[in-house]
Amino acid sequence: MTMVMDKVERGIIISSLILVSLFVFSLLYAKNRYKADVPECLPYDKAYTEPKVNKLDEKTYQVFAVAAMWQFQPSEIYIPVGSDVDFYLTSKDVVHGFNIAQKNVNMMAVYGAINKTTVKFDKPGVYEIVCHEYCGVGHQNMAAQVIVNYPDAK
Ligand code: CUA
């Protein structure tokens, strides 16, 4: 009897491992094949809770994006066309969303956590950032913009 149970258990464990490896494999495959962006999770550091735009060089920027009821800071991000932007995202309160539909960016802003993703803005224009996670009465007004090579860009 115990042997039978062991076999069943082993079978379940092996198939779970195969399933998990399949998931991990398809994630990595999609990341490389389709250049899908898999957001990273960084160790928490209070420095990221201060909203800012850092210029690292002519074509590389860092944005410390802070979500809070019910706005994103900075709310207007001016960068030149062709820039790579590293977004470091956190929240000051509840869970917010961070979606740039034109760039296929989909992240969560979580209190006490830092999520990071890198986006290349190779076309001029205004890219809307919206909160796509319901976060209270002001949710629908929660938005910001990335302004790429717009006239009078700061
Ligand atoms: Cu923030 Cu919805």
Side-chain angles (χ1 to χ4, degrees), residues 67-72 91 93-98 109 130-143:
M69 291 174 185
W70 285 278
Q71 56 176 333
F72 291 108
S91 168
D93 38 53
V94 299
V95 174
H96 297 276
F98 186 91
V130 297
C131 179
H132 63 315
E133 178 73 25
Y134 183 72
C135 55
V137 294
H139 164 70
Q140 70 281 357
N141 301 323
M142 213 176 142

Side-chain angles (χ1 to χ4, degrees), residues 98-115:
F98 186 91
N99 177 245
I100 310 176
Q102 291 150 282
K103 280 289 164 192
N104 212 13
V105 171
N106 180 344
M107 286 202 291
M108 289 283 125
V110 182
Y111 180 82
I114 312 297
N115 284 315

Side-chain angles (χ1 to χ4, degrees), residues 44-45 48-50 64-68 72 88-92 96 108-115:
Y44 183 71
D45 189 317
Y48 294 112
T49 62
E50 205 53 56
F64 291 3
V66 180
F72 291 108
Y88 297 83
L89 176 67
T90 191
S91 168
K92 286 206 163 166
H96 297 276
M108 289 283 125
V110 182
Y111 180 82
I114 312 297
N115 284 315

